[in-house]
Amino acid sequence: MAKPQEKVSFGERLKQIGQVFSFTAKQDKWFVPLVIAAVLIPVALTVVATLNWGLLWIPVGILITLLAVLIVLNLRSNAAMMNVAEGQPGAAASLMENMRGDWRVRPAASSTTQFDMVHVVIGRPGVILLAEGNPQRVKALLGQEKKRLSKVIGNAPIYDYVIGTEEGQLPVRKLRTTMLRLPRNLTGKDVNALDKRLSALMARPQMPKGAIPKNMRPSKGAFRQQRPR
């Protein structure tokens, strides 16, 4: 059973907003000027409205000011996080895990020792493969993963994307909108059934493709000990 979400206190919520504010201000030089504008413009309009139509406009002005600041904070913080996430290994899987909706994410379901990886995502559109790493190597990795998944996904649609900024690739900043635009091909029951089949397929972990580092190789004596006498 899913664990109930822990309630966040008002103080913790303010602390989180402060952290987001500080992070965005460091990453985005236009953030502070936009916040100042989001405060000054509603305040000026509130003063004018109060002088002409009475004190009832003061609480309205306060609410509008807070709303404007929150809108600026939301938009600019998302843009700042996208800039930081660009090029970071595993960024696509992390963003998918934090997206709203029923998305079943399996980070690095297939990977190599060169940090190439393919994330498998199950959702209403079907099966989605998100590849990160060297464009030439991940194409081969995508082909292997498609062949492996074709044994259990049946007629479910499969989509694949290479995450990156080059031509023909999907930038991290466009990942969310791209996923939300995909058609809803499956029902909730279909997603659950597909999730169970893929869980059974991926129950056995795969070794990363590529050369095994020397410090991870078993000693020759280990093989001798395993031989029957």
Side-chain angles (χ1 to χ4, degrees):
M1 296 178 63
K3 295 181 178 179
Q5 294 183 350
E6 296 182 359
K7 293 184 178 180
V8 180
S9 64
F10 181 72
E12 285 293 323
R13 185 71 67 184
L14 288 178
K15 184 178 179 180
Q16 291 174 359
I17 293 175
Q19 291 173 345
V20 174
F21 195 101
S22 176
F23 166 80
T24 308
K26 291 178 181 178
Q27 300 294 328
D28 185 357
K29 65 179 182 180
W30 291 104
F31 174 64
V32 173
L34 287 173
V35 170
I36 294 174
V39 172
L40 293 181
I41 293 174
V43 167
L45 293 175
T46 302
V47 171
V48 173
T50 302
L51 293 176
N52 287 277
W53 297 291
L55 298 177
L56 291 176
W57 284 94
I58 292 179
V60 176
I62 293 174
L63 291 176
I64 293 175
T65 303
L66 291 175
L67 179 61
V69 171
L70 289 176
I71 289 174
V72 172
L73 177 61
N74 182 55
L75 294 176
R76 304 305 292 189
S77 63
N78 285 337
M81 284 188 285
M82 292 300 103
N83 290 332
V84 173
E86 199 79 59
Q88 295 292 328
S94 178
L95 289 174
M96 289 300 303
E97 288 176 332
N98 289 285
M99 272 184 58
R100 292 183 179 180
D102 188 11
W103 303 98
R104 321 285 177 89
V105 185
R106 289 170 171 80
S110 183
S111 61
T112 71
T113 54
Q114 289 83 24
F115 297 102
D116 306 312
M117 60 190 74
V118 174
H119 315 297
V120 177
V121 181
I122 309 170
R124 295 291 295 275
V127 179
I128 304 162
L129 304 181
L130 303 175
E132 295 185 85
N134 181 276
Q136 299 301 322
R137 292 195 298 261
V138 295
K139 287 182 180 179
L141 206 59
L142 274 173
Q144 295 172 7
E145 194 62 22
K146 283 183 180 180
K147 185 177 180 180
R148 184 166 77 109
L149 296 179
S150 64
K151 301 175 183 177
V152 296
I153 65 174
N155 296 324
I158 185 167
Y159 304 87
D160 63 273
Y161 301 92
V162 177
I163 304 299
T165 57
E166 299 179 6
E167 186 178 355
Q169 298 179 350
L170 177 64
V172 168
R173 64 181 68 252
K174 294 183 179 181
L175 178 61
R176 181 179 179 276
T177 55
T178 301
M179 295 298 104
L180 294 178
R181 288 175 182 172
L182 291 176
R184 294 191 173 189
N185 302 305
L186 305 179
T187 65
K189 291 182 179 180
D190 294 333
V191 173
N192 290 332
L194 186 58
D195 188 26
K196 289 180 180 179
R197 293 200 297 269
L198 288 187
S199 295
L201 178 68
M202 299 179 179
R204 184 178 180 181
Q206 289 185 309
M207 286 295 292
K209 305 293 188 300
I212 302 176
K214 291 182 179 181
N215 60 346
M216 295 179 62
R217 295 175 183 171
S219 62
K220 295 181 179 179
F223 289 107
R224 295 196 188 100
Q225 293 176 2
Q226 293 178 359
R227 293 177 184 174
R229 297 181 180 178

